[in-house]
């Protein structure tokens, strides 16, 4: 199953409406990864076509942008207990990294969201393809 996590019910509703409209079956459950309900996880079958997955990823990204705007507009928005960053793994699958919102908030005071995403992607690559060589070495080898 491929999972999409939502911290706002109106946004998960838009996602589920789209899934229903295009005929993709899904399951929903509460995310209890931090010991209490943090959000809703919407899961779809792994066998979903690549075209449909690309469309869903675009929609999910748009909904995450909407969430960011919602959070910016409300004073108590960062009272959530968890935040998620999506990263695409080497095998093409997507993974949600759960991060405490206060950490994300502190990081976003220095970095733009796309810079944070690039950093997360870099960490994922480093985990998947570890380089045990010396840290200080010339990367521009001829």
């Amino acid at each position: 199953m491929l999972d999409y996590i939502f911290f706002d019910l109106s946004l998960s509703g838009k996602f589920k409406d789209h899934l229903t409209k295009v005929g993709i079956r899904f399951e929903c459950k509460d995310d209890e990864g931090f010991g209490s309900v943090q959000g809703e996880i919407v899961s779809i079958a792994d066998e979903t076509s690549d075209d449909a997955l690309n469309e869903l990823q675009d929609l999910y990204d748009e909904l995450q942008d909407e969430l960011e705007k919602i959070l910016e507009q409300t004073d108590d928005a960062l009272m959530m207990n968890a935040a998620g960053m999506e990263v695409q793994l080497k095998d093409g699958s997507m993974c949600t990294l759960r991060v405490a919102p206060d950490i994300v908030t502190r990081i976003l005071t220095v970095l733009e969201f796309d810079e944070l995403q690039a950093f997360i992607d870099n960490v994922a690559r480093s985990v998947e393809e570890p380089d045990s060589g010396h840290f200080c070495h010339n990367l521009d080898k001829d």
Side-chain angles (χ1 to χ4, degrees):
M1 298 294 278
L2 299 172
D3 296 335
Y4 298 86
I5 189 165
F6 294 91
F7 297 105
D8 182 277
L9 291 178
S10 68
L11 299 178
S12 67
K14 289 179 181 181
F15 192 77
K16 292 183 288 188
D17 287 347
H18 178 77
L19 292 175
T20 301
K21 196 180 308 180
V22 297
I24 296 175
R25 294 179 56 209
F26 60 91
E27 297 174 10
C28 298
K29 66 180 178 182
D30 290 334
D31 175 27
E32 299 176 354
F34 285 92
S36 63
V37 175
Q38 305 298 324
E40 181 179 33
I41 298 173
V42 179
S43 303
I44 63 171
D46 290 329
E47 299 78 28
T48 306
S49 75
D50 287 342
D51 288 342
L53 288 176
N54 289 334
E55 182 180 317
L56 291 176
Q57 188 58 48
D58 289 343
L59 174 59
Y60 186 75
D61 291 344
E62 289 173 22
L63 295 173
Q64 292 305 302
D65 290 343
E66 281 188 47
L67 177 62
E68 194 174 334
K69 288 175 187 168
I70 291 168
L71 293 177
E72 289 172 356
Q73 293 172 357
T74 58
D75 292 336
D76 61 345
L78 295 175
M79 297 301 289
M80 291 190 310
N81 295 323
M85 297 288 300
E86 287 285 316
V87 65
Q88 185 170 12
L89 301 177
K90 189 167 59 174
D91 67 1
S93 65
M94 297 301 290
C95 176
T96 301
L97 305 174
R98 289 176 176 84
V99 183
D102 59 326
I103 292 172
V104 173
T105 301
R106 287 178 56 202
I107 291 171
L108 290 176
T109 63
V110 178
L111 300 177
E112 295 294 325
F113 189 81
D114 59 334
E115 293 172 311
L116 176 57
Q117 184 67 54
F119 174 74
I120 296 294
D121 291 341
N122 190 335
V123 169
R125 296 297 156 262
S126 295
V127 169
E128 289 188 306
E129 300 170 6
D131 180 358
S132 59
H134 294 286
F135 185 73
C136 296
H137 65 281
N138 188 355
L139 295 176
D140 297 325
K141 296 178 183 174
D142 295 326

